[in-house]
């Protein structure tokens, strides 16, 4: 096979076609001897009369088509792509597989940028996603804590489906803007509440923007139970005889920070109780999976209730006692162990053995005796063991005075696992 020498210029084009391009971009297209692109993109430049190649919707096949053009006799091949080719476009995919040095990129205004301009909202602080690239449950979890959201369309998840998923999870306080055919003569922007959006249909070619509609004071009240982690203990449903056994907000915050949970992490919460750590870990890992292992049936039954209250769908309660209950779970990236009981040695060893290289493990105990034993065992497993004596006093206003109420002391240990 001949060694490829041709570069491909990728030019971003809007729905308004050649009219919306700079003079330089029009010149590149006019001088091309072959234009590649999706059928809809090619339609925007058909008036040039240049020979075209319609790329397959299958990205693997499309890469092969581009590679063949690079190895052909075409001297000035150009690929047209909607909007900014590097913003949820084809350019990044091609550069990763064929090499950045093989392309030049001429961006156009992204349809996302146009959509935010049409509704007169800034987008530098918005959560942006492609509805076709991630499960709707993961996107809804991220939306819950965002003030502004921009979403590219997907046949799998039209606006009505997303709206119903949000409403089913108690998320109502957004105004929706559906921006269709941006930049073209038949451009349309529709504004609706989520309830209205759930009953409406739109052209597949659109951008969906969500803007939170409540005022800041009301939003602050709502966020009292929607922090990413460290939510007040009383917001979690607990069994009355053992309410004081919940992992306190301060210990939870330190532990979750030490676990270094990524968006796609697999997390174990061993001895989960009613799931406060598992629920907050799930909010930190919207694309991951969290397994809450708990032997007591009355506590286990409250885990899905707490997960529903906080709007997370990626917590799986696991009935059983560690270490036996860990056998069938996927290997974790992060492990939290709350209370170790008589089987402390077997639990710590089993969890650390299954922990993936680069993963982190945190252990919370309530007594000096348990701390000494956990520290001794962890020193056998890992080189560096971090230890905290977490003794917190919480401020309480009483009339015109500020007092501090001490919580029970708690001990936290953390280790990491290096690659073999």
């Amino acid at each position: 096979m001949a060694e490829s020498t041709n570069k491909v210029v990728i030019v971003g084009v809007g729905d308004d076609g050649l009219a919306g391009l700079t003079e330089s971009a029009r010149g590149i297209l006019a001088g091309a001897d072959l234009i590649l692109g999706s059928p809809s993109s090619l339609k925007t430049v058909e008036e040039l009369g240049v020979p075209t190649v319609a790329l397959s919707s299958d990205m693997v096949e499309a890469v092969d088509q581009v590679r063949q053009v690079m190895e052909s006799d075409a001297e000035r091949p150009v690929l047209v792509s909607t909007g900014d080719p590097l913003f949820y476009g084809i350019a990044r995919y091609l550069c990763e597989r064929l090499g950045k040095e093989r392309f030049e990129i001429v961006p156009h205004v992204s349809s996302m940028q146009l959509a935010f301009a049409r509704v007169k909202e800034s987008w530098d602080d918005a959560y942006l996603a492609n509805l076709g690239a991630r499960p709707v449950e993961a996107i809804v979890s991220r939306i819950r804590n965002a003030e502004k959201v921009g979403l590219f369309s997907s046949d799998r998840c039209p606006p009505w489906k997303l709206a119903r998923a949000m409403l089913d999870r108690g998320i109502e306080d957004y105004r929706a803007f559906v921006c269709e055919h941006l930049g073209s003569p038949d451009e349309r922007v529709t504004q609706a509440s989520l309830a209205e959006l759930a009953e409406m249909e739109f052209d597949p070619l659109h951008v969906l923007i969500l803007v939170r509609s409540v005022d800041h004071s009301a939003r602050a009240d709502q966020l009292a139970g929607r922090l990413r982690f460290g939510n007040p203990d009383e917001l979690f449903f607990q069994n009355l005889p053992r309410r004081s056994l919940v992992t306190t907000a301060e210990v939870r915050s330190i532990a979750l920070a030490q676990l270094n949970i990524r968006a796609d992490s697999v997390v174990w919460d061993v001895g989960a109780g009613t799931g406060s750590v598992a629920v907050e870990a799930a909010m930190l890992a919207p694309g991951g999976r969290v397994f809450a292992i708990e032997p007591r049936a009355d506590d286990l039954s409250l885990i899905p209730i707490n997960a529903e209250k906080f709007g997370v769908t990626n917590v799986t309660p696991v009935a059983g006692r560690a270490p036996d209950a860990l056998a069938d779970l996927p290997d974790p990236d992060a492990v939290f162990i709350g209370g170790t009981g008589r089987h402390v040695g077997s639990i710590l060893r089993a969890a650390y053995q299954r922990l993936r290289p680069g993963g982190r493990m945190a252990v919370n105990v309530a007594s000096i005796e348990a701390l000494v034993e956990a520290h001794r065992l962890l020193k056998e497993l890992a080189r560096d063991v971090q230890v905290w004596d977490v003794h917190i006093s919480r401020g309480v206003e009483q009339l015109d005075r500020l007092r501090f109420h001490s919580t029970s002391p708690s001990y936290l240990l953390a280790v990491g696992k290096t690659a073999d």
Side-chain angles (χ1 to χ4, degrees):
M1 183 178 290
E3 182 179 354
S4 57
T5 56
N6 291 332
K7 279 192 176 184
V8 173
V9 181
I10 304 177
V11 176
V13 181
D15 279 353
D16 51 357
L18 297 174
L21 297 179
T22 64
E23 183 177 348
S24 173
R26 283 196 298 269
I28 291 171
L29 286 164
D33 53 7
L34 184 68
I35 298 179
L36 305 85
S38 67
S40 59
S41 295
L42 291 176
K43 192 168 178 136
T44 64
V45 296
E46 60 185 359
E47 62 191 85
L48 291 173
V50 176
T52 61
V53 172
L55 295 179
S56 170
S57 58
D58 181 287
M59 293 302 290
V60 175
E61 294 180 6
V63 169
D64 286 339
Q65 289 177 283
V66 174
R67 183 184 289 110
Q68 290 170 16
V69 168
M70 288 177 166
E71 296 168 353
S72 71
D73 295 333
E75 296 182 0
R76 297 182 303 279
V78 177
L79 189 153
V80 289
S81 175
T82 303
D84 183 349
L86 283 170
F87 188 66
Y88 289 95
I90 194 174
R92 182 171 66 177
Y93 190 88
L94 291 174
C95 288
E96 288 174 350
R97 283 151 184 82
L98 298 177
K100 294 181 180 180
E101 70 281 359
R102 306 312 319 284
F103 298 95
E104 294 180 9
I105 298 173
V106 181
H108 190 58
V109 174
S110 166
S111 57
M112 185 67 70
Q113 186 177 358
L114 278 176
F116 274 95
R118 295 298 187 265
V119 303
K120 301 174 180 65
E121 292 280 350
S122 63
W123 64 311
D124 52 356
D125 57 346
Y127 165 58
L128 307 177
N130 184 342
L131 282 167
R134 302 189 63 196
V136 64
E137 294 81 7
I139 288 177
V140 170
S141 294
R142 290 291 303 274
I143 289 174
R144 182 183 290 278
N145 294 311
E147 295 294 326
K148 283 180 279 191
V149 180
L151 300 168
F152 284 108
S153 60
S154 166
D155 293 338
R156 293 188 311 174
C157 187
W160 65 262
K161 185 174 181 180
L162 178 70
R164 290 179 189 175
M166 292 174 65
L167 293 169
D168 287 346
R169 291 160 177 78
I171 306 173
E172 303 175 353
D173 53 337
Y174 283 94
R175 197 72 184 159
F177 301 86
V178 182
C179 306
E180 302 172 88
H181 299 289
L182 288 163
S184 69
D186 55 346
E187 174 180 303
R188 183 175 67 168
V189 177
T190 302
Q191 183 178 169
S193 67
L194 290 181
E196 293 167 337
L197 190 67
E199 306 298 327
M200 303 170 76
E201 294 188 2
F202 299 91
D203 188 278
L205 191 61
H206 69 265
V207 174
L208 173 61
I209 292 178
L210 303 173
V211 179
R212 198 176 290 277
S213 56
V214 298
D215 60 46
H216 289 292
S217 60
R219 176 64 178 151
D221 291 339
Q222 289 184 1
L223 278 178
R226 302 284 171 83
L227 300 177
R228 297 294 298 281
F229 57 90
N231 287 280
D233 306 340
E234 60 271 17
L235 291 179
F236 294 92
F237 291 106
Q238 303 164 46
N239 283 304
L240 291 177
R242 298 189 307 283
R243 287 184 68 89
S244 61
L245 298 182
V246 67
T247 305
T248 62
E250 294 81 6
V251 173
R252 249 183 288 129
S253 297
I254 298 172
L256 289 168
Q258 287 299 314
L259 291 178
N260 194 29
I261 295 171
R262 303 186 311 271
D264 60 350
S265 288
V266 173
V267 183
W268 291 357
D269 179 5
V270 182
T274 57
S276 62
V277 173
V279 166
E280 294 192 338
M283 288 194 284
L284 294 173
R289 292 182 292 169
V290 179
F291 296 89
I293 301 94
E294 173 55 44
R296 297 184 63 102
D298 53 349
D299 283 344
L300 192 75
S301 66
L302 289 180
I303 293 173
I305 296 174
N306 279 319
E308 176 66 24
K309 179 178 181 179
F310 282 81
V312 294
T313 59
N314 53 335
V315 176
T316 301
V318 178
R321 193 177 298 277
D324 295 342
L326 310 177
D328 295 329
L329 302 182
D331 290 346
D333 301 293
V335 178
F336 176 79
I337 300 175
T340 51
R342 293 173 297 172
H343 304 286
V344 55
S346 57
I347 292 173
L348 294 184
R349 290 189 181 94
Y352 189 81
Q353 181 180 12
R354 296 283 304 281
L355 187 65
R356 292 174 177 168
R360 300 277 298 171
M361 184 165 76
V363 182
N364 179 218
V365 296
S367 70
I368 290 289
E369 294 78 12
L371 169 64
V372 171
E373 180 67 0
H375 184 259
R376 181 185 67 78
L377 290 165
L378 289 175
K379 288 291 286 184
E380 295 176 4
L381 299 171
R383 237 177 355 209
D384 181 27
V385 181
Q386 296 172 279
V387 185
W388 294 265
D389 175 0
V390 186
H391 197 157
I392 297 292
S393 295
R394 295 173 175 170
V396 178
E397 291 186 2
Q398 294 181 342
L399 299 178
D400 60 342
R401 295 178 180 271
L402 177 66
R403 299 181 181 275
F404 286 90
H405 290 177
S406 296
T407 62
S408 300
S410 187
Y411 307 102
L412 187 68
L413 306 95
V415 296
K417 187 173 184 178
T418 58
D420 296 334

